[in-house]
């Protein structure tokens, strides 16, 4: 096998498709050339494990050969290196691991972001460079919030791969979020609130019912989307959210009023979930909760003609309760907050449930909603 030279590397023919590897007289060391002309040094470390060294001419032939010798020497001396694997396989293992410790909504978000924005296919984790990941995130510059979510999710994934010994280091190590985000302060005024609530009451789809309940309860969207019929006690007009659903992993008992009862009455009981994924409803075997947020929100916005985010409804709920004279600790109970007036040492000694006060707050809130839509 001839020794690679700079002249030989420059004159290597481009493959008609895919990639072609050429080897040096140093066992396992070679250069891989792509259809587009990129030349990348690599070294085989046994059992088919290919370690990427770098691209030519950013990395010189001499530097690449020196690094290959070092890596081969480490293998000979018994120093272990991470056993890498293809991105697709790593993603499956990562999501499986997350299902053991994260909420379903979190796992669903991880799956969506990693599948949509980071399409590395069968590329091995050790071959994914910081530039590869940066290119994926740069495509999201027009949507700063999504770019930040993608950056955070990728960082979680590659840190998991490093801790699992599939990588020496994360390609996102030391990086910062791509966009600066500002805290949202949007509170809907009465006219906007009326338009949103009317549109929600006037719809007969899952998303409209979810929006109506978000307005009525101030709950998080993941909590409402995850509702099951056995969480609702109609005789007590009480929703009890288990730890697997709430953000703070605490059971949350939430009273509801007549408007919410009307929503529950009109939701068809097709499964254990109030809002199953539409494709599962068709099959008659619902296994997942509602997840078509993007298109449903766009359609809903056209009907109500209000520019808002779903979380704005939670902020609007809290702001209006304050205007109605609801004590802050009652509002925090309704929102299932564990900080503020009910946090720290207070949470340990104050065991009052505030259930009657919460019912009164919901009664006042529904009266306000009835007034604004008339």
């Amino acid at each position: 096998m001839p020794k690679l030279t700079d002249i030989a590397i420059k004159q290597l023919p481009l493959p008609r498709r895919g990639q072609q590897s050429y080897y040096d007289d140093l066992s396992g060391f070679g250069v891989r050339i792509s259809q587009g002309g990129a030349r990348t040094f690599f070294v085989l470390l046994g059992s088919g494990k290919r370690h990427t060294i770098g691209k030519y001419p950013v990395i010189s032939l001499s530097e690449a050969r020196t690094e290959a010798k070092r890596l081969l020497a480490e293998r000979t001396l018994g120093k272990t290196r991470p056993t890498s694997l293809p991105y697709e396989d790593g993603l499956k293992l990562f999501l499986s691991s997350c299902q053991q410790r994260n909420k379903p909504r979190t796992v669903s978000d991880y799956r969506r972001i990693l599948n949509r924005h980071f399409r590395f296919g069968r590329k091995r984790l050790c071959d994914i460079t910081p530039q590869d990941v940066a290119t994926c995130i740069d495509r999201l510059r027009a949507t700063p919030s999504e770019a930040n979510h993608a950056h955070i999710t990728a960082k979680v994934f590659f840190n998991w791969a490093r801790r699992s010994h599939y990588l020496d280091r994360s390609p996102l190590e030391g990086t910062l979020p791509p966009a600066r985000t500002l805290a949202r302060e949007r509170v809907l005024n009465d006219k906007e609130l009326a338009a949103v609530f009317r549109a929600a009451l006037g719809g007969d789809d899952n998303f409209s019912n979810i929006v109506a309940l978000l307005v009525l309860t101030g709950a998080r969207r993941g909590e409402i989307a995850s509702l099951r019929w056995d969480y609702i006690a109609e005789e007590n007009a009480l929703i009890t959210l288990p730890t697997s659903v709430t953000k703070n992993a605490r059971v949350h008992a939430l009273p509801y009023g007549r408007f919410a009862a009307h929503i529950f009455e009109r939701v068809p009981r097709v499964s254990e979930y109030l809002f199953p994924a539409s494709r599962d409803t068709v099959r008659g075997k619902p296994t997942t909760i509602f997840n078509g947020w993007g298109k449903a929100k766009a359609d809903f916005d056209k009907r109500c003609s209000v520019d808002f985010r779903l979380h704005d409804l939670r902020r609007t709920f809290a702001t209006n309760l304050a205007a109605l004279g609801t004590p802050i600790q009652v509002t925090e109970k309704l929102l299932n907050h564990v900080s503020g007036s009910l946090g720290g040492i207070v949470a340990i000694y104050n065991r009052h449930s505030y259930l009657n006060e919460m019912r009164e707050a919901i009664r006042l809130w529904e009266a306000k909603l009835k007034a604004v839509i008339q």
Side-chain angles (χ1 to χ4, degrees), residues 23 27-28 42-51 71-72 75-76 80-86 124 126:
Y23 290 89
S27 179
F42 66 88
V43 61
L44 300 179
L45 297 176
S47 302
K49 300 172 190 174
R50 175 180 289 178
H51 177 81
L71 294 170
L72 290 168
R75 186 196 65 181
T76 302
T80 59
R81 296 187 54 77
T83 302
S84 192
L85 73 167
R124 301 185 79 79
C126 62

Side-chain angles (χ1 to χ4, degrees), residues 205-265:
D205 58 294
N206 276 348
F207 187 80
S208 294
N209 289 327
I210 289 172
V211 172
L213 291 173
L214 291 177
V215 171
L216 291 162
T217 65
R220 297 178 176 89
R221 79 173 198 179
E223 295 169 343
I224 296 300
S226 301
L227 278 178
R228 294 166 44 142
W229 290 109
D230 58 5
Y231 296 169
I232 302 169
E234 295 181 11
E235 65 277 11
N236 298 324
L238 194 68
I239 303 169
T240 302
L241 301 174
T243 58
S244 60
V245 171
T246 59
K247 183 177 180 180
N248 57 24
R250 294 191 178 190
V251 174
H252 180 38
L254 174 67
Y256 63 87
R258 293 180 179 179
F259 264 130
H262 168 68
I263 299 299
F264 294 144
E265 288 172 2

